[in-house]
């Protein structure tokens, strides 16, 4: 390789710039510029600018030119690295066929240690994405999936933060760009950690293609999310913390769509086939069981195929039998029940019984209905007395207000249980299935309402007002206000109670808070001085290793 100096590079630039035909003399000049990448620092900086400038005019030198640029990216001189990073997008501007390789290299350079260099890489990467959106997005996700932990970490942060600033403008270039982005995110879900999974979900859900009017796309998204937890014949492992957290995040997210009319049959089938079987469900932590019962109650009320309901029936029946004990010999001893949990199970049973009446027949079920009914009657009586005493307090501090809200929530839960149990205890022909307004759609139980709630006795204040039914007539009116007559199907409705705003605060608290950043262990394959070594074949090697999701569920 001939050594070159600054004057040689400038002369070569002038020859190429003035040339009309690219003969051997002109090609020799471009080789001179490429050789400058191995000269002194000034020559390297000139080569970093001039190689991209004429890249498109010499396709026969593409490989040599790219190798020279990548060598400059690994140079020990920070100024050289900053210069080549700045001008790398010009290579894509000259020939978009190399966009994948340039984007891949820039992603690897995100692991550099200096803030100035990282900022330059992000700016260059944004330019490359704008020049060639589809190829760049594919390359970036390949690297985020297969790169080192440090590269993966910084790549995902770039996607969630930097790309988010201009992605709407980017997607306006065509629907295929948004679809490409969505497909890459969905591929990444399967191997994502918990924090990455949440980040990817936040990338997907705001996309135009997943707005409520695009029901087919949303149905496909539900299947993708399910397959990101378990695929095909794979069994759900209740001891796998990552899978459990993915399940909870999926359920929490999808419920919002089910409430707005998106069909929930595939998610219900997933719960029935993969989660609710005793050998799986019984090994989950109790708090996770309760959240899964909430998911079940939310999605079972829609219109589903007969096979799914039939498969769900024995599982829900078993849940009820295990949750509600039969009457004991000592009628003075009441079972301690988690009433919101009981409401989830009874509601699921109520929905199934409207289609499969025989599921609630038999002495085993009737005895438990009677026991639950008796417990609920005693519970509602104590709640009413407790509310009455609380309402009579002269001054209502924050603690008293919270207790009132807690008791009111318990009253709604218990009234719902009573209403459903009454119908299930009737003969089949006498049952009148009305639409139940879920207690979690009218108020938020801040704590578990136990069946043994005791009233708080306080001095009576004649001037205090009471919002609680104090006689039988008022109680009946309150119960009627929670019921809507003759529904066509069991679907969720919002409460019409004044001052009640649907809230998911407590439900969200049950899911452990997940850090917004990616929490992978850092690693680096760069040099000791903070330089990154570029894997020059990663763009080609990673393409064959991409995760391919299984066929969609019908």
């Amino acid at each position: 390789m001939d050594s070159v100096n600054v004057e040689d590079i400038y002369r070569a630039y002038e020859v190429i710039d003035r040339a009309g035909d690219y003969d051997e003399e002109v090609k020799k000049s471009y080789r001179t510029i490429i050789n400058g990448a191995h000269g002194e620092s000034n020559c390297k900086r000139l080569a970093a600018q001039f190689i991209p400038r004429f890249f498109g005019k010499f396709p026969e030198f593409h490989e040599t030119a790219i190798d020279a640029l990548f060598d400059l990216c690994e140079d020990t001189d920070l100024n050289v690295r900053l210069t080549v990073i700045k001008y790398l997008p010009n290579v894509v501007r000259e020939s978009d066929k190399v966009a994948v390789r340039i984007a891949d290299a820039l992603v690897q350079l995100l692991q550099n240690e200096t803030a100035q260099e990282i900022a330059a890489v992000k700016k260059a990467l944004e330019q490359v994405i704008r020049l060639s959106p589809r190829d760049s997005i594919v390359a970036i996700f390949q690297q985020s999936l297969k790169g080192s932990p440090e590269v993966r970490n910084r790549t995902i942060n770039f996607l969630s933060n930097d790309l988010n600033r201009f992605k709407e403008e980017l997607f306006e270039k065509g629907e295929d760009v948004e679809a490409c982005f969505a497909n890459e995110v969905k591929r990444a879900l399967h191997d994502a950690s918990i924090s990455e999974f949440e980040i990817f979900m936040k990338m997907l859900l705001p996309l135009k293609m997943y707005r409520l009017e695009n029901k087919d796309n949303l149905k496909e998204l539900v299947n993708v999310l399910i397959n990101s937890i378990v695929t095909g014949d794979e069994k759900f492992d209740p001891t796998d913390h990552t899978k459990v957290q993915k399940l909870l995040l999926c359920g929490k997210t999808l419920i919002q769509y089910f409430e707005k009319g998106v069909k929930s049959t595939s998610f219900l089938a997933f719960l029935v086939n993969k989660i609710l079987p005793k050998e799986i469900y019984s090994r989950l932590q109790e708090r996770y069981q309760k959240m899964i019962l909430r998911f079940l109650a939310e999605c079972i009320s829609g219109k589903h195929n007969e096979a799914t309901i039939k498969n769900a029936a024995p599982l829900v029946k078993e849940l009820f039998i295990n949750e509600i004990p039969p009457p004991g010999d000592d009628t003075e001893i009441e079972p301690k029940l988690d009433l919101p949990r009981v409401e989830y199970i009874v509601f699921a049973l109520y929905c199934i019984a409207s289609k499969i009446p025989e599921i609630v027949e038999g002495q085993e079920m009737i005895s438990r209905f009677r026991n639950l009914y008796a417990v609920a009657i005693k519970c509602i009586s104590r709640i009413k007395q407790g509310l009455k005493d609380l309402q009579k307090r002269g001054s209502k501090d924050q603690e008293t207000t919270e207790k009132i809200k807690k008791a009111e929530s318990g009253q709604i839960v218990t009234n719902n249980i009573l209403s459903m149990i009454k119908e299930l205890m009737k003969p089949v022909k006498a049952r009148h299935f009305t639409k139940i307004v879920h207690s979690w759609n009218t108020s938020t139980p801040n704590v578990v309402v136990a069946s043994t709630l005791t009233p708080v006795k306080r001095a009576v204040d004649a001037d205090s007002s009471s919002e609680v039914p104090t006689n039988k007539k008022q109680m009946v009116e309150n119960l009627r206000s929670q019921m809507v007559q003759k529904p066509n199907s069991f679907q969720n409705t919002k409460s019409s109670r004044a001052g009640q705003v649907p809230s998911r605060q407590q439900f969200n608290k049950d899911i452990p808070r997940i850090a917004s950043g990616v929490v992978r262990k850092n690693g680096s394959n760069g040099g000791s001085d903070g330089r990154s070594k570029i894997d020059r074949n990663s763009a080609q090697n990673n393409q064959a290793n991409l995760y391919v999701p299984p066929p969609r569920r019908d």
Side-chain angles (χ1 to χ4, degrees):
M1 183 183 298
D2 297 332
S3 61
V4 296
N5 54 38
V6 171
E7 289 76 13
D8 293 334
I9 295 176
Y10 273 121
R11 280 196 296 270
Y13 177 89
E14 291 175 359
V15 170
I16 299 173
D17 192 47
R18 293 196 304 263
D21 296 326
Y22 298 103
D23 53 20
E24 285 301 320
E25 186 64 27
V26 176
K27 292 178 182 179
K28 182 179 178 182
S29 297
Y30 192 62
R31 278 197 296 267
T32 299
I33 293 175
I34 293 174
N35 290 339
H38 303 96
E40 299 296 328
S41 290
N42 287 343
C43 294
K44 291 177 179 178
R45 294 178 66 183
L46 287 176
Q49 299 177 54
F50 296 163
I51 292 174
R53 171 70 178 79
F54 300 116
F55 184 82
K57 296 178 171 60
F58 301 96
E60 63 270 33
F61 290 111
H62 278 185
E63 287 299 320
T64 306
I66 289 175
D67 279 341
L69 292 172
F70 287 172
D71 287 339
L72 294 174
C73 290
E74 300 171 354
D75 197 82
T76 56
D77 188 337
L78 174 61
N79 290 325
V80 171
R81 299 202 301 271
L82 289 174
T83 302
V84 70
I85 290 169
K86 178 181 178 181
Y87 288 98
L88 271 179
N90 289 346
V91 176
V92 180
R93 189 173 283 110
E94 289 291 310
S95 175
D96 59 4
K97 294 180 181 180
V98 296
V100 169
R101 296 180 65 183
I102 299 301
D104 180 78
L106 287 170
V107 165
Q108 295 181 60
L109 292 175
L110 283 171
Q111 66 185 318
N112 287 333
E113 296 178 1
T114 63
Q116 186 180 7
E117 200 166 357
I118 292 172
V121 170
K122 288 182 177 180
K123 185 176 181 180
L125 197 51
E126 178 180 337
Q127 293 177 39
V128 171
I129 293 172
R130 289 180 182 275
L131 289 168
S132 183
R134 287 177 57 85
D135 290 342
S136 302
I137 287 171
V138 170
I140 290 171
F141 273 95
Q142 284 180 13
Q143 188 58 49
S144 72
L145 288 169
K146 302 299 180 183
S148 68
E150 181 67 12
V151 170
R152 183 182 179 99
N153 183 353
R154 296 194 180 185
T155 302
I156 294 175
N157 283 334
F158 172 82
L159 290 168
S160 60
N161 298 319
D162 298 271
L163 180 61
N164 192 56
R165 289 186 295 101
F166 63 95
K167 69 179 182 182
E168 288 189 10
E169 178 186 347
L170 192 69
F171 296 159
E172 287 176 358
K173 295 184 177 182
E175 293 183 1
D176 60 328
V177 178
E178 184 182 64
C180 173
F181 177 79
N183 288 336
E184 294 301 325
V185 176
K186 287 182 288 189
R187 287 191 181 100
L189 286 172
H190 187 265
D191 295 324
S193 66
I194 299 170
S195 54
E196 292 171 355
F197 191 83
E198 185 179 32
I199 291 172
F200 290 144
M201 293 270 282
K202 289 179 179 178
M203 291 181 192
L204 279 175
L205 298 179
L207 298 180
K208 290 180 181 179
M209 62 187 295
Y210 294 126
R211 290 178 178 173
L212 282 176
E213 59 268 22
N214 300 319
K215 294 293 175 61
D216 289 341
N217 289 344
L218 286 170
K219 181 180 177 182
E220 183 259 349
L221 178 61
V222 171
N223 291 328
V224 167
L225 293 178
I226 291 171
N227 286 329
S228 69
I229 303 170
V230 291
T231 58
D233 296 330
E234 180 186 0
K235 287 188 176 181
F236 181 83
D237 183 359
T239 63
D240 187 329
H241 179 68
T242 299
K243 288 188 179 296
V244 171
Q245 291 301 316
K246 282 185 178 182
L247 167 62
L248 299 180
L249 281 170
C250 282
K252 173 187 169 184
T253 301
L254 293 176
I255 279 176
Q256 303 171 46
Y257 290 94
F258 298 155
E259 289 178 342
K260 295 173 183 177
V262 177
K263 197 168 183 180
S264 58
T265 299
S266 58
F267 190 68
L268 176 61
F270 165 70
L271 292 178
V272 169
N273 296 326
K274 301 289 186 179
I275 309 298
L276 291 180
K278 187 175 181 179
E279 65 274 15
I280 303 297
Y281 178 81
S282 62
R283 293 165 61 197
L284 288 165
Q285 294 182 29
E286 189 172 333
R287 59 181 176 141
Y288 297 152
Q289 289 180 353
K290 186 173 179 179
M291 296 176 71
I292 288 166
L293 292 175
R294 165 72 181 275
F295 299 156
L296 173 66
E298 287 279 8
C299 64
I300 203 170
S301 58
K303 294 181 179 179
H304 305 293
N305 58 58
E306 185 178 351
T308 301
I309 296 299
K310 282 186 176 180
N311 291 337
L315 296 172
V316 174
K317 181 177 180 178
E318 184 180 24
L319 288 172
F320 179 79
I321 291 172
N322 292 337
E323 191 73 22
I324 309 299
D329 296 333
D330 190 347
T331 57
E332 298 297 323
I333 300 177
E334 289 184 27
K336 292 184 178 180
L337 302 176
D338 182 342
L339 292 184
R341 180 186 176 108
V342 171
E343 184 190 11
Y344 299 149
I345 297 173
V346 172
F347 181 78
L349 193 66
Y350 184 79
C351 293
I352 294 173
S354 69
K355 301 167 185 175
I356 309 177
E358 59 271 21
I359 196 67
V360 295
E361 301 299 323
Q363 187 59 36
E364 186 179 39
M365 295 296 287
I366 293 172
S367 64
R368 283 172 168 79
F369 287 151
R370 289 172 178 169
N371 191 29
L372 177 58
Y373 185 82
V375 170
I377 288 291
K378 293 178 182 179
C379 185
I380 199 68
S381 177
R382 284 192 293 268
I383 292 174
K384 286 171 61 179
Q385 184 59 48
L387 272 169
K388 185 176 180 180
D389 292 340
L390 287 169
Q391 292 287 356
K392 288 180 179 179
R393 291 186 180 184
S395 59
K396 295 179 182 177
D397 54 18
Q398 184 176 356
E399 181 182 357
T400 303
T401 302
E402 289 299 319
K403 287 181 179 180
I404 291 173
K405 289 181 179 179
K406 171 185 171 181
E408 288 176 340
S409 298
Q411 188 176 31
I412 297 170
V413 171
T414 311
N415 282 339
N416 276 350
I417 293 172
L418 282 171
S419 300
M420 292 184 286
I421 290 297
K422 281 181 183 179
E423 294 303 320
L424 296 176
M425 291 171 65
K426 294 178 182 178
V428 175
K429 293 183 179 180
R431 289 173 192 162
H432 181 66
F433 289 96
T434 55
K435 183 181 290 187
I436 300 296
V437 179
H438 302 158
S439 64
W440 55 92
N441 282 347
T442 57
S443 62
T444 303
N446 290 323
V447 295
V448 171
V449 183
S451 67
T452 55
L453 177 67
T454 56
V456 180
K457 294 185 178 180
R458 298 288 179 181
V460 175
D461 186 345
D463 295 330
S464 64
S465 61
S466 175
E467 300 174 2
V468 184
T470 57
N471 55 50
K472 186 174 181 180
K473 182 178 179 180
Q474 286 178 316
M475 185 61 195
V476 171
E477 291 300 322
N478 184 45
L479 181 60
R480 286 176 178 172
S481 70
Q482 296 176 48
M483 310 289 288
V484 179
Q485 299 298 320
K486 298 239 180 192
N488 291 328
S489 62
F490 292 98
Q491 294 182 2
N492 302 336
T493 60
K494 301 295 181 184
S495 170
S496 58
R497 288 166 39 123
Q500 294 288 348
V501 180
S503 170
R504 296 182 177 273
Q505 239 174 5
Q506 179 62 26
F507 185 54
N508 293 346
K509 283 181 183 178
D510 288 338
I511 296 181
R513 186 174 297 278
I514 295 174
S516 59
V518 180
V519 288
R520 287 178 169 265
K521 187 176 179 181
N522 287 346
S524 174
N525 59 357
S528 59
D529 56 354
R531 292 175 290 123
S532 296
K533 296 294 184 181
I534 297 176
D535 181 356
R536 308 188 184 196
N537 296 318
S538 63
Q540 292 92 332
N541 294 339
N542 287 340
Q543 183 67 32
N545 295 324
L546 283 177
Y547 166 72
V548 179
R552 288 176 49 184
R553 301 181 182 211
D554 294 327

